[in-house]
């Protein structure tokens, strides 16, 4: 998989990988440290805060999946990708999260929350 073309999708993929079986490794994603926030730090901190398990080893992000209940507050670091990633994770029935803010997705996707609600209602 070509990471450079998917770098903006890594936060949502990592959040969703936290619910998958086993460990998911995103290799050579150090570029995430120099986006709107340090997204590697935001992902690992946020997953840890809600009961997930993620860590960085060099340029690689590791996410260990868990079937348990996730709850807590996610600090979005005012980063639209982090906010959208964890809002997407929050639709899982075993997840109950609060985002520190919900305005940042408007930067890149003004109708994100309306569209997410619409998708969940159809499922």
């Amino acid at each position: 998989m070509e990471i450079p073309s998917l770098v903006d999708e890594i936060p949502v993929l990592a959040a969703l990988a936290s619910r998958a079986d086993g460990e998911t490794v995103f290799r050579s994603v150090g570029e995430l440290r120099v986006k709107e926030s340090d997204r590697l730090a935001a992902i690992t901190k946020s997953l840890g805060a809600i009961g997930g398990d993620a860590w960085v080893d060099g340029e690689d992000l590791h996410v260990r999946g868990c079937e348990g209940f996730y709850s807590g507050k996610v600090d979005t670091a005012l980063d639209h990708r982090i906010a959208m990633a964890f809002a997407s994770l929050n639709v899982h029935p075993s997840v109950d999260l609060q985002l520190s803010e919900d305005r940042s997705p408007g930067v890149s996707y003004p109708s994100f929350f309306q569209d997410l609600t619409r998708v969940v209602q159809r499922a």
Side-chain angles (χ1 to χ4, degrees), residues 91 113-123:
V91 303
F113 287 105
Q114 294 90 341
D115 291 347
L116 181 62
T117 299
R118 197 172 16 253
V119 167
V120 170
Q121 289 173 343
R122 290 183 184 166

Side-chain angles (χ1 to χ4, degrees), residues 49-100:
I50 63 173
D53 188 14
W55 66 97
V56 176
D57 183 14
E59 298 291 306
D60 301 339
L61 171 63
H62 297 254
V63 179
R64 183 170 294 129
C66 170
E67 292 182 12
F69 189 78
Y70 285 171
S71 67
K73 188 168 185 178
V74 170
D75 180 0
T76 68
L78 299 174
D79 187 314
H80 59 127
R81 300 282 182 198
I82 299 300
M84 291 187 292
F86 284 90
S88 297
L89 178 61
N90 202 32
V91 303
H92 191 283
S94 294
V95 177
D96 183 22
L97 307 179
Q98 295 176 338
L99 300 178
S100 61

Side-chain angles (χ1 to χ4, degrees), residues 16 23 32 34 48 50 89 103 115:
L16 298 176
E23 183 179 322
L32 290 171
V34 294
I50 63 173
L89 178 61
R103 299 180 96 173
D115 291 347

